[in-house]
Amino acid sequence: MVQVTRTIQAPMDKVFAVLADGWSYAGWVVGASHIRGVDDTWPSVGAGIHHSVGPWPCTIEDTTSVRAIDAPHNIELIARLWPIGSAVVRLELRAIDPTSCEVVMTERAVGGPGRLLPHAFQALMLVPRNRESLSRLADLAEGGYPPSHTH
């Protein structure tokens, strides 16, 4: 299992709002390039985000689904990327104070050839990627997400 942690200068509820919006997935998940659809029941257990991964025109279409959720404290996802495999990704949010929280992101390969890679190699690939994902999540949450609509 690979783990990264980041403090985000936004309330826990606001950070979770980004996670709860499936359409925001490509905005913070490194590698996700396009959201094709989000199930109406997202982020309930079993609901999915239908996304493309990689640069166009070499994209792979797949799905990420919710395995478990306890809003606004955590969400656990099954992220698929066949033929590479699948992984369980867990995001845990812990309030530091009313205006900031800590996010712990863990990932472990559970299917396909990716699960056969040694932990050190998985960490070499996933730690920088997941740090950048949490940085992007922070940018969205700290930058006024969701956008306010005033007329």
Side-chain angles (χ1 to χ4, degrees), residues 7-137:
T7 298
I8 298 179
Q9 300 303 315
M12 190 169 70
D13 289 344
K14 192 169 185 181
V15 176
F16 201 86
V18 179
L19 300 175
D21 179 358
W23 292 101
S24 77
Y25 191 79
W28 67 271
V29 175
V30 172
S33 58
H34 176 70
I35 304 302
R36 298 185 325 276
V38 177
D39 290 353
D40 291 339
T41 57
W42 180 269
S44 64
V45 172
I49 298 171
H50 310 279
H51 54 81
S52 301
V53 177
W56 183 87
C58 303
T59 58
I60 298 171
E61 294 185 352
D62 223 322
T63 302
T64 293
S65 59
V66 177
R67 179 176 169 177
I69 185 168
D70 178 19
H73 305 286
N74 62 64
I75 187 168
E76 191 169 284
L77 308 169
I78 300 287
R80 293 179 23 152
L81 181 59
W82 289 105
I84 296 168
S86 60
V88 172
V89 179
R90 183 174 176 84
L91 294 120
E92 295 182 51
L93 288 72
R94 301 176 186 136
I96 295 171
D97 58 42
T99 63
S100 64
C101 69
E102 177 182 74
V103 179
V104 178
M105 181 178 188
T106 57
E107 182 169 351
R108 66 182 165 86
V110 295
R115 68 182 164 76
L116 302 175
L117 296 173
H119 181 271
F121 184 76
Q122 289 185 40
L124 183 67
M125 302 301 293
L126 293 175
V127 167
R129 175 185 172 270
N130 290 353
R131 278 192 185 133
E132 177 60 21
S133 289
L134 289 185
S135 176
R136 293 176 185 191
L137 177 63

